Amino acid sequence: MTTPGEMSEADQIKTFKDFLTQYNKLSELCFNDCVHDFTSRKLRSSEDKCTVNCMEKYLRTNQRVSQRFHEFQMIANENMLALAQKSPN
Amino acid sequence: MAMPQMDPAKLQLVQELEIEMMSDMYNRLVTACHRKCIPLKYHEPELGKGESVCLDRCVAKYLDVHERIGKKLSNMSQGESEDLTKVNIPEKK
């Protein structure tokens, strides 16, 4: 076991992997949603702005979904506990 | 909720699987709700009010559907295995 507050190596690798996966997904999403014009080699300023907004918005989306998700998790856990206490087997 | 009488190694495997499945489900949830609630025009980085409300409802509905399908699936597989063996039904809300 690890000391509290410190991640095991496996956990750290998992976190890093999740980060990279998220990074790739974000690039794909924002590229597909923001970049449509290939008449120029450089990113247009509108494309640049769009991609940055896209990224920030996605992260905020994730944050909000995470909050709601955990609320539902908590309720589900409480229900499960109540159920287990009512009928111990 | 947990399965009774199982050696710790197996239990840990089941728990790891459960966590992995949860995070997969979570990722799909974020992708689905982002696709359904966030318009493709990224004019500003903030979430709009309508977008936020949409996300909240989307999460609730998604989890609702998830639960329903889970119940249906376990009913179906129970029906199939009921004739073969009388297993104790895993209690799940």
Side-chain angles (χ1 to χ4, degrees):
Chain A
M1 285 293 114
T2 49
T3 49
E6 210 173 290
M7 278 200 283
S8 74
E9 198 173 317
D11 282 344
Q12 279 180 352
I13 288 172
K14 173 109 185 26
T15 306
F16 187 53
K17 198 180 155 200
D18 287 347
F19 167 75
L20 291 178
T21 308
Q22 171 112 323
Y23 177 20
N24 281 344
K25 218 168 111 181
L26 215 43
S27 299
E28 185 189 20
L29 178 86
C30 295
F31 177 81
N32 284 337
D33 286 354
C34 289
V35 182
H36 308 286
D37 170 47
F38 296 98
T39 55
S40 148
R41 158 77 181 76
K42 276 190 176 163
L43 268 181
R44 287 208 245 155
S45 71
S46 62
E47 288 169 342
D48 185 44
K49 202 168 154 237
C50 178
T51 43
V52 172
N53 284 344
C54 169
M55 186 203 80
E56 286 198 32
K57 201 170 229 182
Y58 184 87
L59 294 179
R60 290 200 166 94
T61 301
N62 201 334
Q63 213 176 13
R64 189 160 188 113
V65 169
S66 166
Q67 282 169 2
R68 294 293 95 77
F69 183 75
H70 283 116
E71 284 168 15
F72 279 97
Q73 284 285 100
M74 297 248 286
I75 293 168
N77 277 346
E78 276 167 22
N79 286 344
M80 208 106 93
L81 265 175
L83 209 76
Q85 275 169 359
K86 227 186 267 174
S87 59
N89 56 342
Chain B
M1 55 199 242
M3 280 146 236
Q5 307 113 15
M6 230 201 253
D7 61 278
K10 243 187 190 167
L11 197 72
Q12 177 160 8
L13 210 75
V14 169
Q15 276 172 346
E16 271 168 24
L17 208 71
E18 219 157 64
I19 290 170
E20 212 170 288
M21 168 273 196
M22 269 300 207
S23 85
D24 180 51
M25 188 267 262
Y26 176 77
N27 286 332
R28 287 168 198 268
L29 166 68
V30 176
T31 308
C33 292
H34 181 267
R35 211 182 57 212
K36 284 173 192 281
C37 290
I38 311 296
L40 298 185
K41 300 171 194 70
Y42 297 100
H43 290 313
E44 77 280 306
E46 310 288 335
L47 283 178
K49 185 139 201 216
E51 290 169 341
S52 305
V53 174
C54 178
L55 285 174
D56 294 350
R57 290 180 181 151
C58 178
V59 173
K61 278 196 162 180
Y62 192 99
L63 294 177
D64 244 26
V65 169
H66 186 75
E67 197 183 312
R68 266 160 218 252
I69 288 181
K71 272 185 189 151
K72 270 256 159 60
L73 275 178
S74 72
N75 279 346
M76 280 163 66
S77 62
Q78 250 171 49
E80 277 168 21
S81 60
E82 225 158 45
D83 332 299
L84 304 169
T85 45
K86 275 280 172 199
V87 275
N88 50 337
I89 305 117
E91 49 150 335
K92 209 160 194 194
K93 215 244 101 181

